[in-house]
Amino acid sequence: MTTNSVKGFEVKYSLLLVAAMLVINSCIKEEIEWSYLYIGTYTGGASKGIYLYRMNQESGELKYVNVTEGIENPSYLAIDGTGSYLYAVKELTEFEGKKSGAVSAYKIDKKNLELEFLNQVATEGGAPCHLTIDANNNYLFVANYVGGNACSIKLNDDGSLGKITGIVQHEGSGPDKSRQKAPHAHSVNLDKNNHLYVADLGIDKIMIYNLSESGELTNNDPAFAEVTPGAGPRHFTFHPKGNFAYVISELGNTVTAYNHNHKTGALSAIGTYSTLPENFEGESYCADIHIHPNGKFLYGSNRGHNSIAIFNINEITGELTLSGNENTKGSWPRNFTIDPTGKFLIVANQKSDDVFVFKIDSNTGLLEYTEISTHIPSPVCLVFD
């Protein structure tokens, strides 16, 4: 090989190497910049099922990927800790001839960006509306709104659903005769010591249970924490440090803060705070609640006022201060979520069939509309993988 040939080969090799590096960097950049967002819906109208979008982590841009069809009312979703399996409630009051809803299991095909159906089981209660998974991915927990109960379901090694291992039935009623004639379990949340908290809108209580290694649910001592009569507790969340807990109440339009005892599971009330401006006189109902990963800000959705309430958290006392309400640009903000980077808050407006993206001010927690939105029929749940 001549000197010129060698030099030519070296130049070509260098160019190929540079090109290869550019491709690798591009792939890495793609992996870093995009998150995947699953959106659960009500399918009684135009919706087809569970929608998948990509979200740019830098700009907040949303891009449609696909929709998984063939499931009725997947109104709440949960993804296991490995990011391999997705679970969706079927919010029905009758399933396979029984007065029950159901939950479906899917394997997440990350290569083809598709959901592979595994199986489904009845939840032994009507209108399942919320679910969560334990830290070890052993059990799935479901709140049945119409049934007024909650259940635990074994998760098999392949991600499919096994048998129900525990079920707890609530009893009682509340002062609001139009909404609280019976118990209505509305959410299920676990702490790090396997205490299960079930917020029940119908009886104004957060019921507390113990989870055994075999998946059974037994009454805790104390057995519950109360909210203001008629408030209707709906969704529940823990502070990232685990020392505080918060419940948002649908009928009272309030958030109640609690001290959380890790060992006993007890909740002791700190205070209750309105999610609405002082001058608001219309009809509104709270829905969802989330805390920013930095532990400084708490957010709650107001359906009717159509806003996200923004609270500052006193990280020493757990007390809240309402710092503002951001209009959600649509009607009936059901569920919302914070993206994995903590930069954006994404809101699902159920009645106006749209999803809007807001940027979070990391210093104040306040929200700013990004001018990014997308049309989705009856969106009611947002979950990042």
Side-chain angles (χ1 to χ4, degrees):
M1 184 179 288
T2 65
T3 300
N4 288 337
S5 297
V6 170
K7 289 181 178 180
F9 175 79
E10 289 176 345
V11 170
K12 290 180 179 179
Y13 179 79
S14 297
L15 290 173
L16 287 171
L17 184 61
V18 169
M21 291 301 295
L22 288 173
V23 171
I24 292 172
N25 288 336
S26 176
C27 291
I28 293 174
K29 187 176 181 181
E30 180 79 3
E31 183 70 20
I32 292 173
E33 287 190 350
W34 292 93
S35 296
Y36 289 92
L37 178 65
Y38 289 92
I39 303 174
T41 66
Y42 281 126
T43 56
S47 172
K48 296 180 179 180
I50 301 171
Y51 291 77
L52 175 61
Y53 276 74
R54 294 197 308 167
M55 181 175 178
N56 187 300
Q57 293 182 353
E58 293 299 321
S59 67
E61 176 189 7
L62 293 173
K63 286 190 175 183
Y64 172 80
V65 177
N66 58 39
V67 60
T68 300
E69 302 184 34
I71 179 172
E72 295 178 89
N73 292 342
S75 64
Y76 207 87
L77 314 174
I79 296 175
D80 80 319
T82 70
S84 302
Y85 304 102
L86 180 145
Y87 302 91
V89 301
K90 298 181 74 171
E91 193 174 329
L92 308 170
T93 55
E94 184 174 337
F95 175 71
E96 296 182 342
K98 297 194 300 184
K99 291 183 178 180
S100 174
V103 60
S104 299
Y106 294 88
K107 182 178 180 180
I108 299 175
D109 183 341
K110 294 184 181 295
K111 181 179 179 181
N112 297 311
L113 299 178
E114 295 177 347
L115 295 179
E116 175 190 339
F117 176 74
L118 297 176
N119 71 333
Q120 61 185 358
V121 299
T123 59
E124 302 300 328
C129 57
H130 191 263
L131 71 171
T132 193
I133 302 164
D134 75 306
N136 295 319
N137 304 309
N138 289 326
Y139 298 99
L140 178 77
F141 306 89
V142 184
N144 293 304
Y145 181 83
V146 171
N149 59 30
C151 68
S152 52
I153 303 172
K154 176 63 179 174
L155 295 179
N156 299 321
D157 291 340
D158 64 357
S160 64
L161 297 160
K163 295 182 179 180
I164 289 181
T165 58
I167 188 164
V168 286
Q169 180 64 52
H170 297 175
E171 302 292 341
S173 60
D176 187 331
K177 300 307 178 184
S178 65
R179 295 292 309 278
Q180 295 182 310
K181 290 182 180 180
H184 295 300
H186 218 312
S187 63
V188 281
N189 296 84
L190 275 174
D191 70 7
K192 293 181 180 179
N193 289 328
N194 283 338
H195 297 110
L196 181 71
Y197 298 82
V198 185
D200 193 305
L201 182 146
I203 60 177
D204 292 321
K205 292 178 180 177
I206 303 163
M207 303 301 296
I208 309 171
Y209 301 99
N210 293 310
L211 172 68
S212 71
E213 291 186 4
S214 59
E216 295 177 324
L217 297 173
T218 57
N219 292 330
N220 186 65
D221 182 16
F224 58 85
E226 294 181 300
V227 299
T228 303
R234 181 183 170 98
H235 279 201
F236 183 88
T237 190
F238 290 103
H239 190 274
K241 294 180 181 178
N243 54 338
F244 304 120
Y246 301 86
V247 67
I248 194 163
S249 292
E250 177 174 338
L251 308 180
N253 296 301
T254 56
V255 173
T256 301
Y258 298 90
N259 284 304
H260 171 232
N261 187 310
H262 297 265
K263 293 182 179 180
T264 68
L267 299 174
S268 55
I270 296 170
T272 297
Y273 311 87
S274 174
T275 63
L276 297 168
E278 290 184 4
N279 60 354
F280 180 73
E281 296 180 352
E283 191 173 46
S284 194
Y285 303 94
C286 285
D288 199 13
I289 186 171
H290 292 284
I291 294 176
H292 194 276
N294 67 15
K296 296 179 179 180
F297 315 115
L298 181 146
Y299 302 91
S301 55
N302 293 310
R303 297 171 296 174
H305 186 249
N306 295 331
S307 69
I308 298 295
I310 306 162
F311 292 92
N312 289 323
I313 301 174
N314 184 320
E315 295 185 77
I316 297 175
T317 66
E319 295 174 303
L320 301 177
T321 302
L322 183 66
S323 60
N325 288 84
E326 180 70 26
N327 186 285
T328 63
K329 310 299 180 184
S331 177
W332 219 248
R334 177 68 171 267
N335 183 235
F336 65 95
T337 191
I338 297 170
D339 84 302
T341 70
K343 296 178 182 177
F344 301 100
L345 186 146
I346 305 93
V347 183
N349 291 305
Q350 179 185 343
K351 290 187 177 180
S352 53
D353 301 326
D354 45 40
V355 172
F356 286 81
V357 180
F358 297 84
K359 189 172 183 179
I360 300 172
D361 187 310
S362 60
N363 294 315
T364 66
L366 297 178
L367 305 175
E368 179 184 357
Y369 177 42
T370 61
E371 304 295 329
I372 297 168
S373 65
T374 188
H375 171 81
I376 299 175
S378 299
V380 290
C381 183
L382 305 166
V383 176
F384 278 100
D385 183 7

